[in-house]
Amino acid sequence: MATYGTSGQPNQATMNFDALFSTSLANYKKRLVDQISSSNSFFHVLKNQGSFEGEDGGTHLVEDLMYALAPVDFYSGYDELALTPTEGITQAHFQWRQMAGPVSISREEERKNAQRIVNLVESKLMQLEIAMQEAFPKAFLRGQYYNQPTGSILLPATSPVNGAYGFDPLPLLVHYTPSTSVTIGEINQGTYTWWRNPFKVSAATTTGAFLDEILHLYNECSKGPMGPPNLGLCDQTTWELIHKSYRAYFQNTAKEDGNMPFPNLKFFNTTIVWDEFVPNVYADTIDTTTTTGGTLYLLNTKTFKVKYDNQTNFIETEW
């Protein structure tokens, strides 16, 4: 706590940083949540589709999965109807992950900003906001490369201080080799074919062939009752190659989705955007500077959710 002015005066002002920061953070919370969830195209789409959901705690997250439909058949008159119970529903289990950031002030900062404390508090909160904006997509897209120079994009980031895990990265959830024996949500994708995503390795040598490959993957991802993918996520090199292919093949640029607040292009029903943190899944690295090392995800955000604990979502702890 800092006290300014000479003691013994009729009026004294005491600045309690505990109360100031707590009050400011409470007022700042909505902006913090909005800015972080809107700073990345993937989270932006999920939020707008209502796929940000709160949970009231629990030992882990449980997501019900439907992998088969009820048998349907024709009948006539007094034909016997099938009464066999339908299987095809199971659960995926995911562990909670936590992330925190400090809002701190040194004695030197306190004294240098004695006349503008409120501005200093706003700057500290903005500092945290920007850090969170970068941390969310970086950890989600890069896995262990989030905070270390080597590792795997398939494994969650790990704290160098306490060894705690971050959330499961997208390269694990949408696996490059889906037939490999890998457990996702405690379900092995190598054992259950319905838990696999389509994939394709590009062999195109022309811009037209490259667009044909994307079309084929788009159709593969469109099969089933959930409809086609609506979000494409790629690295900068792939994004520029798609634009180049449109100009060379169609002699014009690709159309954009005006409702997306990010640079984008439309490929049928899919809005494709690029993110600097999308890795090279082919080589399990973050280097995407060559035309042979890019990645394009075609995602159906109806099948994705971000869940948070209602009592822990952007809370402030004790000063």
Side-chain angles (χ1 to χ4, degrees):
M1 182 172 65
T3 301
Y4 304 103
T6 304
S7 61
Q9 298 300 313
N11 286 322
Q12 297 186 33
T14 300
M15 180 65 70
N16 188 317
F17 281 92
D18 187 356
L20 179 62
F21 269 108
S22 296
T23 303
S24 299
L25 187 55
N27 295 333
Y28 200 82
K29 179 178 177 180
K30 184 179 186 306
R31 174 185 169 182
L32 188 67
V33 176
D34 289 344
Q35 290 293 97
I36 291 173
S37 61
S38 299
S39 62
N40 176 270
S41 55
F42 179 78
F43 292 117
H44 172 81
V45 174
L46 288 181
K47 181 181 177 183
N48 286 348
Q49 288 194 346
S51 294
F52 271 90
E53 297 183 354
E55 290 276 343
D56 289 324
T59 57
H60 56 275
L61 288 165
V62 176
E63 190 64 30
D64 293 324
L65 301 176
M66 182 184 300
Y67 63 88
L69 303 178
V72 178
D73 198 2
F74 298 99
Y75 79 99
S76 176
Y78 290 94
D79 289 345
E80 183 177 345
L81 302 180
L83 298 177
T84 304
T86 303
E87 298 294 335
I89 296 179
T90 188
Q91 292 180 336
H93 294 180
F94 297 92
Q95 299 301 313
W96 289 104
R97 298 289 187 253
Q98 298 180 106
M99 177 181 287
V103 179
S104 58
I105 182 171
S106 69
R107 176 63 176 173
E108 181 180 4
E109 290 174 317
E110 176 187 317
R111 295 308 305 139
K112 287 182 176 179
N113 293 274
Q115 305 302 320
R116 47 191 300 275
I117 296 300
V118 173
N119 289 343
L120 176 60
V121 172
E122 291 180 351
S123 297
K124 290 290 184 177
L125 292 176
M126 184 176 296
Q127 185 181 38
L128 174 63
E129 175 189 314
I130 295 173
M132 287 282 191
Q133 285 179 357
E134 179 178 89
F136 268 57
K138 192 174 182 180
F140 182 64
L141 296 175
R142 288 191 169 185
Q144 288 185 328
Y145 282 96
Y146 162 71
N147 56 1
Q148 60 188 58
T150 59
S152 174
I153 60 175
L154 299 173
L155 299 176
T158 306
S159 169
V161 178
N162 53 45
Y165 290 114
F167 33 77
D168 291 341
L170 182 62
L172 171 65
L173 301 176
V174 184
H175 209 280
Y176 167 64
T177 52
S179 60
T180 303
S181 179
V182 174
T183 298
I184 303 170
E186 299 186 8
I187 300 175
N188 194 312
Q189 65 170 10
T191 304
Y192 302 100
T193 57
W194 51 265
W195 198 223
R196 303 175 186 175
N197 51 266
F199 80 105
K200 185 172 182 61
V201 180
S202 176
T205 57
T206 65
T207 55
F210 182 58
L211 292 178
D212 288 341
E213 288 179 340
I214 298 178
L215 174 61
H216 178 72
L217 182 61
Y218 174 88
N219 288 334
E220 289 294 306
C221 294
S222 300
K223 295 177 180 178
M226 297 303 290
N230 63 327
L231 176 63
L233 191 60
C234 65
D235 60 280
Q236 181 180 348
T237 301
T238 302
W239 162 269
E240 293 170 356
L241 184 58
I242 295 174
H243 267 286
K244 178 181 177 181
S245 300
Y246 265 87
R247 289 195 302 269
Y249 197 72
F250 296 109
Q251 300 299 311
N252 59 26
T253 57
K255 295 182 179 179
E256 292 190 358
D257 181 354
N259 297 319
M260 173 71 75
F262 301 91
N264 66 86
L265 62 89
K266 290 289 291 184
F267 188 90
F268 291 92
N269 291 329
T270 301
T271 301
I272 301 178
V273 296
W274 71 275
D275 192 292
E276 62 178 308
F277 297 128
V278 172
N280 176 353
V281 300
Y282 180 82
D284 193 6
T285 179
I286 57 175
D287 182 14
T288 58
T289 56
T290 66
T291 55
T292 59
T295 301
L296 171 64
Y297 292 101
L298 295 181
L299 307 171
N300 186 336
T301 56
K302 295 178 183 177
T303 62
F304 276 88
K305 291 181 181 178
V306 173
K307 290 193 172 183
Y308 54 87
D309 176 37
N310 289 322
Q311 300 298 318
T312 320
N313 187 35
F314 290 101
I315 61 170
E316 66 273 13
T317 58
E318 294 296 327
W319 175 253

